[in-house]
Amino acid sequence: MDLQLSGKRALVTASTAGIGLSIASTLAGEGLTVIINGRSENRVSEAIKKIRLKHPHAKLEALIDDLSKVEAVKHVTSRFPDVDILINNLGIYEVKAFEDISDKDWMAIIETNFMSGVRLSRHYLPKMRAKNWGRIVFISSESAINIPVEMIHYGVTKTMQLALARGLAETTAGTGVTVNSIMAGPTWSEGVEGFVSQMAKSRGVEPAVVEKEFFETVRPSSLLKRFATTDEVAALVAFVASPLSSATNGTALRVDGGVVRSII
């Protein structure tokens, strides 16, 4: 299917690994110019190499900045004043009991997971409306609905993204601009792979055993019964970012493996 994306420019925040890297690679394969973002030059360079191995003619630009910081957002919006597609993927998480989450912890995760998207959208959305075309996509999580007791602050920021995306979508009525959220479920990312491998090694079992137990005990409602691949998430993001998705706006779309028990 031709997603009609060739010639457009996309900024994918935190795109050096995991879901962000797969989104960037998928979009690059569709002919976009993709801005690859990470905190270090080495990580960004490695990501660009990986994408070019898959898509030798990919049009890529490097952006080395921590977009959880106000000054970094000012820098990127100055360097790239216009983009057609903004993918707000930057996010962090940590396992921590609620009573141990300090004010500093709360502010750090809100700045990264939520305010980065607020600041970038505040700059790019009016420009998209002026052109009468654009896409903003927030990479949220099923944790926005199923708040994880082991990291409540993470889940709260993912819920905040859903609310923000819907609110911003309301400002696009009657235009060619859309704002949507993607609720990813348990996904085989760099961090998950490391965690599963460490658990398996400490117990002297294969990683497949740890994965099976995870879906039996931690996410028993999963219909997929395995971690989704980052490419499976990226495929939905690419469609939502495309002109073909013009009737999809203000929506939270799930690629969660059926973890959320809901008919809508």
Side-chain angles (χ1 to χ4, degrees):
M1 181 182 292
D2 179 9
L3 294 182
Q4 303 173 15
L5 282 167
S6 182
K8 298 189 183 300
R9 171 180 278 180
L11 166 59
V12 184
T13 66
S15 43
T16 60
I19 292 173
L21 177 59
S22 286
I23 292 170
S25 181
T26 299
L27 294 179
E30 292 293 327
L32 288 87
T33 297
V34 183
I35 302 165
I36 307 300
N37 166 242
R39 290 186 174 99
S40 74
E41 184 175 355
N42 182 60
R43 293 277 287 182
V44 171
S45 297
E46 285 300 311
I48 288 173
K49 287 178 184 177
K50 288 177 183 177
I51 294 172
R52 288 216 166 105
L53 283 175
K54 192 171 183 179
H55 306 292
H57 303 295
K59 297 184 283 290
L60 307 171
E61 298 183 82
L63 173 63
I64 303 156
D65 262 317
D66 178 358
L67 296 178
S68 69
K69 309 298 184 185
V70 174
E71 290 305 315
V73 172
K74 289 180 180 177
H75 173 249
V76 65
T77 53
S78 174
R79 183 178 166 196
F80 301 105
D82 289 284
V83 299
D84 300 295
I85 297 161
L86 169 63
I87 310 294
N88 287 308
N89 174 66
L90 176 61
I92 57 173
Y93 68 92
E94 64 173 347
V95 175
K96 208 166 199 179
F98 172 73
E99 55 270 26
D100 295 329
I101 304 171
S102 66
D103 285 2
K104 184 178 179 180
D105 294 331
W106 273 104
M107 294 311 300
I109 202 165
I110 289 171
E111 284 283 318
T112 303
N113 295 8
F114 182 68
M115 288 306 300
S116 59
V118 168
R119 293 173 183 132
L120 289 168
S121 299
R122 187 164 53 208
H123 175 84
Y124 289 117
L125 181 56
K127 292 177 176 290
M128 292 177 182
R129 287 199 303 256
K131 292 186 299 184
N132 200 35
W133 200 90
R135 298 286 184 266
I136 296 179
V137 182
F138 289 85
I139 307 304
S140 183
S141 166
E142 53 90 9
S143 293
I145 295 175
N146 294 331
I147 303 293
V149 69
E150 72 276 10
M151 46 182 180
I152 289 172
H153 54 339
Y154 170 77
V156 168
T157 62
K158 295 288 114 176
T159 309
M160 291 166 72
Q161 286 182 313
L162 300 188
L164 175 61
R166 178 65 205 194
L168 295 182
E170 293 290 338
T171 74
T172 68
T175 74
V177 182
T178 67
V179 186
N180 292 289
S181 303
I182 303 294
M183 290 192 294
T187 305
W188 191 258
S189 63
E190 188 178 63
V192 169
E193 182 178 6
F195 172 76
V196 170
S197 296
Q198 184 180 7
M199 285 290 294
K201 185 177 180 181
S202 68
R203 293 173 50 196
V205 298
E206 292 297 315
V209 174
V210 176
E211 181 176 9
K212 184 174 185 293
E213 290 177 353
F214 176 85
F215 286 99
E216 287 175 347
T217 60
V218 182
R219 292 292 187 275
S221 62
S222 171
L223 303 179
L224 190 60
K225 295 302 180 187
R226 63 167 174 81
F227 290 103
T229 68
T230 56
D231 285 345
E232 287 172 325
V233 177
L236 179 57
V237 175
F239 170 74
V240 173
S242 79
L244 302 184
S245 69
S246 54
T248 303
N249 195 10
T251 301
L253 299 165
R254 288 163 34 206
V255 57
D256 65 345
V259 166
V260 178
R261 284 181 168 147
S262 172
I263 62 173
I264 57 172

